[in-house]
Structure formats: C-alpha cells, structure tokens
C-alpha cells in the first residue's frame, strides 16, 4: 500500500496521482458510470483530468480521494467531500465506483463510511449531505444504510435518459 490516507477492511483512500489519469478519465466517458451524474455530457480527455487533478490539489473546499483495493492496489473509484464550509461546518459527499467490476460489492459503502467519519471527526463538520436523483436506487439504498435521511426533494432538477428528474 502506498500513500494511504484512510483505510478500512478492504479498501484504502489516497490522494490521486498523475499515473491514475489514464484510468480515472475513462470513467467519466462511460455512459453507465455517468448515468446519474453531471459527468458524461462533454468528453473527458486526459488533459481535462490532468487539469482537474491540479485543481483539486489546491482546493481547500474539496477533498477528493482515490478508492483503492487493499489486496492488489487497484484503483476502482473516487470519493469526495465537496463544498466544504468551515464556518458553517458542512459539506456534501460524492462517490463513484468507476470500475464496474466492483459494483455492488460493498466498496462504495466502505469508502463513504471512511470519508464521512473523517469529515465529522477530523474536519469538525457538523452536517454532511449527499445529493442523488430519485431513480438512482443504488445510491439511495447506500446512503439509507449509512444513516442518511432525506431532507428534501428538488423536482425536475436533472435531465437523465430523456426526462427531468
């Protein structure tokens, strides 16, 4: 394991590296991976991802980390805290398991648990939200299992598969 920042039973989280770009950028061009996200509207190039990597290294209002399997150091996804407001002590969590071979195996749950615990215990956040579209049953179930509660519903907020959700 290299550059471990947070770890659980099966995964660890670490900062992204330049060598991750070849894998990472492809996730955001995959229609299945981006089905429920803002990604996938425009092509994502290696240069775009390289620029994003530089941006997140400087952004104190975001913490974006690579999800890596402990058993073989394989990069499988990304988890983050975003829109962190240190005055109001809140932020928003995001998760993408980009490697579809690892969907539904509990790695997203481990990753979200790690970053949420870090947000509360180390970053002194008081409130962490997670936004998703209604049809994203996987995310909805994940966040319910982790104790998140629905606080609101934005109607016709996102255009997905030919309709607004």
């Amino acid at each position: 394991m290299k550059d471990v920042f947070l770890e659980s039973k099966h995964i660890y989280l670490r900062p992204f590296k330049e060598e991750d770009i070849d894998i990472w950028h492809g996730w955001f061009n995959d229609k299945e991976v981006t089905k429920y996200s803002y990604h996938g509207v425009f092509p994502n190039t290696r240069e775009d991802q390289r620029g994003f990597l530089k941006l997140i290294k400087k952004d104190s209002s975001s913490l974006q980390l690579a999800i890596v399997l402990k058993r073989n150091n394989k990069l499988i996804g990304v988890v983050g805290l975003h829109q962190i407001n240190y005055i109001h002590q809140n932020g928003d969590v995001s998760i993408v398991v980009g490697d579809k071979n690892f969907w539904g195996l509990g790695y997203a749950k481990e990753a979200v648990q790690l970053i949420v615990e870090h947000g509360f215990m180390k970053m002194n956040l008081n409130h962490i939200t997670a936004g998703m579209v209604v049809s994203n049953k996987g995310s909805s179930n994940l966040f319910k299992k982790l104790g998140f509660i629905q606080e609101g519903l934005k109607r016709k907020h996102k255009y997905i598969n030919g309709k607004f959700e």
Side-chain angles (χ1 to χ4, degrees):
M1 287 188 283
K2 295 182 179 179
D3 299 323
V4 175
F5 182 65
L6 302 169
E7 69 178 304
S8 61
K9 185 175 181 180
H10 301 103
I11 62 162
Y12 65 93
L13 307 181
R14 63 159 171 79
F16 275 96
K17 305 174 191 179
E18 184 79 21
E19 56 264 28
D20 296 327
I21 290 173
D22 284 342
I23 297 168
W24 190 19
H25 98 279
W27 297 337
F28 300 113
N29 289 319
D30 185 307
K31 288 180 183 179
E32 279 185 282
V33 172
T34 63
K35 182 176 180 178
Y36 300 111
S37 80
Y38 291 110
H39 299 286
V41 176
F42 298 102
N44 187 42
T45 66
R46 285 176 178 82
E47 264 320 299
D48 292 336
Q49 205 65 45
R50 190 170 285 109
F52 183 70
L53 177 60
K54 288 178 185 173
L55 180 70
I56 64 173
K57 286 185 175 190
K58 296 177 186 175
D59 184 3
S60 63
S61 68
S62 247
L63 173 62
Q64 190 118 335
L65 298 168
I67 305 169
V68 183
L69 292 178
K70 286 171 97 171
R71 71 174 184 257
N72 60 7
N73 295 312
K74 180 175 179 58
L75 174 65
I76 64 164
V78 55
V79 65
L81 286 173
H82 309 282
Q83 300 170 347
I84 300 167
N85 186 310
Y86 293 100
I87 294 169
H88 300 295
Q89 297 175 281
N90 58 44
D92 189 65
V93 66
S94 70
I95 177 79
V96 173
V97 176
D99 189 325
K100 294 180 279 190
N101 295 312
F102 299 97
W103 285 6
L105 300 176
Y107 300 123
K109 182 179 179 190
E110 282 188 50
V112 172
Q113 281 178 309
L114 282 173
I115 203 153
V116 166
E117 181 178 293
H118 179 75
F120 286 132
M121 303 306 289
K122 292 289 192 174
M123 300 178 84
N124 199 30
L125 298 181
N126 183 56
H127 190 78
I128 297 175
T129 58
M132 70 208 72
V133 295
V134 172
S135 62
N136 189 344
K137 300 299 182 202
S139 283
S140 179
N141 291 336
L142 167 68
F143 286 103
K144 282 178 187 169
K145 285 178 190 174
L146 291 171
F148 282 66
I149 57 169
Q150 183 174 330
E151 294 181 341
L153 179 66
K154 293 181 179 179
R155 299 187 187 284
K156 296 185 179 183
H157 182 69
K158 201 179 240 187
Y159 190 73
I160 295 181
N161 296 324
K163 63 181 182 181
F164 284 97
E165 289 198 33

